[in-house]
Amino acid sequence: MTVAVFDPKSLQSNPTKNSQNTTNSLAQSTYPNAKKVFIETQGCQMNVYDSEKMADVLGDSHGMILTDNIDEADVLIMNTCSIREKAQEKVFSQLGRWRKLKEKNPDLVIGVGGCVASQEGDNIQARAPYVDMVFGPQTLHRLPELYEKSQSQSDIKPKNRIGVVDVSFPSIEKFDFLPEPKVEGFKAFVSIMEGCSKYCSFCVVPYTRGEEISRPLDDVLAEIDSLAEKGVREINLLGQNVNGYRGEKSDGTICRFSELLHYVSHIDGIDRIRFTTSHPLEFTDDIIDAYAKIPKLVNHLHLPVQSGSNRILAAMKRNHTIDIYINQINKLREVRPDILLSSDFIIGFPNETDEDFNDTLQLAKDLDFDHSYSFIYSKRPGTPASELPDNVDLATKKERLATFQQVILDSTFAKTRAMIGTTIPVLVEEKSNRINGLHGTAENTRSVIFEGSDELLGKFVNVKITEFVGPHMVKGEFVDIIG
Ligand code: SAH
Ligand code: F3S
């Protein structure tokens, strides 16, 4: 099946902006009368990864086939996000639509997973009694059991069935129960740690995904080995704070993130390494040293900073100052002068003044970010920041966000235009649907299209960039094969 890569294009074709349907199809099921499962994925890359695993476990246990046609599905799963209020509200409005499908087809099984499920638990069924299964990010591997339990009530009238709920945090057990990753394509995500223990004052993740816990080193390396054997060339190490990785080694000692990067860089076949996401507090000198020593590590870093104001950073409990952040970036640029930076920002945090906002704007200009994920602050129940007055008015928040995003967008355009005339390595991923040629990705995440034959698929090639297509896409001419 397709090991999915976060693809902004796929977002555009989806009904809601931040959601995507997992369209990877399982290989032909060997089960007669195999059921079809439709999975809607909302939110972050971690959820995209988890949705694939849901499809894998249901495929493995029950031969279920993934479908992207909701009307033919026997099982509907919503993998939810609760990072901002809007995302959370979407869950119940979407469930309302699914209820109508269930009214037409009472045997339809509805499951709710992800962070809203984790946070709401039994409340999901209190509000939406037609939901059959509720499970959290750490219990998705138990989906086959939950499905069995929901089916064991099939002699009971659908409206009298009791939904099954499991939103516990059974440590890292999840990974021991997941089937071998199925691969189609040349890029793959590998989860190296789960959860977050940073407890930023605004964020629900530590409550919905649990505390940070790292997968043992050998498990991570074995998974990457296996992906490399199946033709994967680029690995994206995934976790809420990958640089907080503390994986146990077979001798009982602990492997830090920088050391993991070195191990991964020695795996034959893997020629590009990315990671998502990391925290400034643990962006330590040994990681900068890894950038100096590991050319496979891409020239692109996503390091969330959230705000350019020390006052706001303290209120957010980020536990570092702006100077510390700038200092690390400067050190990184000493070893990688051309590295492009992206970051996450929250605009309109409680008590954010014009001065605080101007500090954020100034930081964006000074550090010359290439890209950002920037959002208006959203008050989340149960977080310490929710006790603060949400006192920046919405119009001001919107105006600040628009000003901020324009600065970043100008930078994105400028950096894409600056690529013209350069020759860069590109991982060739698929046939292009825009031109009669190929499509690949540059280290800086830009899509690159160019004319070339199918034999180049899965190879790294040099492409001379000739044309600006859009802020995230360029066109070029094939130069030669790197390998
Ligand atoms: N681990 C990452 C963050 C993961 S959450 C880190 O080191 O910061 C992804 C992003 O969602 C955050 O970086 C933040 O910008 C945004 N976010 C989280 N909670 C939010 C809230 N309450 N309101 C608005 N944005 C929020
Ligand atoms: Fe959230 Fe902060 Fe962790 S933003 S995911 S609590 S690093």
Side-chain angles (χ1 to χ4, degrees):
M1 93 184 189
T2 311
V3 162
V5 196
F6 177 70
D7 176 4
K9 283 178 302 181
S10 64
L11 287 180
Q12 286 158 17
S13 59
N14 274 302
T16 46
K17 207 165 147 226
N18 265 330
S19 71
Q20 65 186 135
N21 297 331
T22 306
T23 49
N24 32 2
S25 60
L26 290 170
Q28 275 294 316
S29 176
T30 48
Y31 289 67
N33 309 321
K35 301 259 192 241
K36 294 201 170 96
V37 55
F38 173 91
I39 305 181
E40 177 176 312
T41 309
Q42 300 164 353
C44 68
Q45 192 53 61
M46 249 65 71
N47 268 11
V48 175
Y49 182 88
D50 282 351
S51 289
E52 286 174 24
K53 302 297 161 197
M54 292 174 201
D56 284 354
V57 286
L58 288 172
D60 227 47
S61 62
H62 289 80
M64 278 192 206
I65 299 169
L66 200 58
T67 174
D68 53 9
N69 177 359
I70 193 164
D71 294 320
E72 65 169 23
D74 306 287
V75 179
L76 305 183
I77 292 179
M78 196 184 302
N79 191 5
T80 61
C81 168
S82 63
I83 201 86
R84 283 171 292 273
E85 195 181 357
K86 247 193 193 152
Q88 179 143 6
E89 277 168 7
K90 206 160 65 183
V91 172
F92 288 99
S93 53
Q94 180 71 315
L95 279 176
R97 284 188 281 275
W98 286 10
R99 174 192 199 151
K100 296 206 176 82
L101 297 174
K102 190 152 175 163
E103 278 164 5
K104 279 191 246 154
N105 170 15
D107 289 328
L108 191 64
V109 175
I110 298 182
V112 179
C115 289
V116 177
S118 172
Q119 220 176 13
E120 298 282 327
D122 296 327
N123 285 340
I124 299 265
Q125 281 154 335
R127 272 182 77 174
Y130 46 89
V131 168
D132 302 277
M133 314 181 284
V134 177
F135 55 98
Q138 307 305 349
T139 47
L140 65 90
H141 58 289
R142 297 182 182 162
L143 204 43
E145 280 168 52
L146 293 178
Y147 176 72
E148 279 305 316
K149 275 194 201 155
S150 75
Q151 290 305 288
S152 66
Q153 305 172 56
S154 54
D155 50 336
I156 307 173
K157 273 195 182 159
K159 69 178 174 47
N160 295 332
R161 287 178 202 159
I162 303 163
V164 281
V165 181
D166 184 351
V167 290
S168 55
F169 294 122
S171 118
I172 206 83
E173 155 192 313
K174 163 173 155 185
F175 290 97
D176 295 335
F177 288 84
L178 294 175
E180 273 266 292
K182 301 179 181 74
V183 182
E184 225 178 66
F186 309 105
K187 303 205 286 200
F189 284 91
V190 173
S191 176
I192 64 167
M193 51 94 68
E194 287 273 323
C196 181
S197 309
K198 300 287 184 288
Y199 292 94
C200 300
S201 65
F202 52 83
C203 184
V204 291
V205 170
Y207 312 100
T208 58
R209 288 187 168 261
E211 295 261 332
E212 281 170 19
I213 179 153
S214 300
R215 288 176 76 189
L217 174 68
D218 286 354
D219 290 7
V220 171
L221 296 180
E223 182 166 332
I224 300 176
D225 266 336
S226 144
L227 290 165
E229 268 168 32
K230 291 171 182 149
V232 168
R233 308 290 314 267
E234 175 180 314
I235 287 291
N236 198 329
L237 303 170
L238 192 63
Q240 289 295 347
N241 285 304
V242 287
N243 54 343
Y245 179 76
R246 307 256 182 299
E248 201 184 341
K249 295 199 223 173
S250 47
D251 62 4
T253 59
I254 293 299
C255 175
R256 288 170 59 85
F257 183 60
S258 56
E259 203 182 341
L260 173 67
L261 289 172
H262 283 280
Y263 280 116
V264 176
S265 73
H266 286 109
I267 296 179
D268 277 349
I270 303 299
D271 287 300
R272 215 184 240 178
I273 308 169
R274 300 182 189 273
F275 54 86
T276 330
T277 309
S278 45
H279 192 291
L281 201 58
E282 286 171 304
F283 200 77
T284 41
D285 289 350
D286 52 325
I287 298 176
I288 294 176
D289 189 53
Y291 274 95
K293 297 197 173 125
I294 306 176
K296 290 180 181 182
L297 205 47
V298 291
N299 237 357
H300 184 274
L301 168 68
H302 182 73
L303 190 60
V305 63
Q306 315 296 356
S307 169
S309 151
N310 280 330
R311 219 174 57 82
I312 297 293
L313 283 183
M316 288 176 163
K317 294 211 168 53
R318 294 288 289 177
N319 290 322
H320 67 86
T321 58
I322 280 305
D323 280 351
I324 290 178
Y325 187 88
I326 295 176
N327 191 32
Q328 286 313 86
I329 297 301
N330 286 342
K331 279 198 217 164
L332 179 64
R333 283 182 167 155
E334 275 170 30
V335 300
R336 290 285 187 100
D338 303 328
I339 195 160
L340 292 191
L341 268 190
S342 68
S343 194
D344 291 353
F345 293 87
I346 295 179
I347 306 293
F349 190 77
N351 300 319
E352 184 190 75
T353 60
D354 281 341
E355 200 185 336
D356 294 319
F357 172 66
N358 285 333
D359 286 347
T360 302
L361 208 54
Q362 195 57 47
L363 181 78
K365 291 176 184 164
D366 289 348
L367 289 185
D368 195 21
F369 288 101
D370 170 43
H371 184 66
S372 85
Y373 296 93
S374 42
F375 294 99
I376 285 176
Y377 167 72
S378 171
K379 185 171 175 163
R380 306 310 295 126
T383 60
S386 67
E387 320 256 305
L388 301 170
D390 191 0
N391 54 3
V392 183
D393 67 273
L394 189 61
T396 307
K397 285 179 183 171
K398 284 188 173 165
E399 197 186 308
R400 286 180 186 164
L401 183 69
T403 309
F404 180 81
Q405 289 187 333
Q406 192 55 52
V407 167
I408 301 278
L409 195 63
D410 289 348
S411 169
T412 310
F413 269 80
K415 290 185 176 47
T416 305
R417 291 217 161 89
M419 292 169 75
I420 296 170
T422 61
T423 297
I424 53 165
V426 170
L427 172 59
V428 188
E429 288 169 51
E430 58 191 3
K431 290 188 186 202
S432 165
N433 50 17
R434 293 180 74 105
I435 56 163
N436 184 17
L438 300 167
H439 170 268
T441 318
E443 273 188 57
N444 66 11
T445 73
R446 299 315 191 266
S447 287
V448 180
I449 50 175
F450 62 98
E451 280 169 25
S453 68
D454 292 2
E455 288 132 54
L456 299 179
L457 288 167
K459 296 207 160 52
F460 281 92
V461 301
N462 279 314
V463 175
K464 181 167 187 212
I465 305 304
T466 53
E467 227 178 276
F468 174 96
V469 180
H472 297 284
M473 187 181 273
V474 288
K475 196 171 169 187
E477 285 161 7
F478 168 72
V479 177
D480 56 13
I481 297 178
I482 303 169

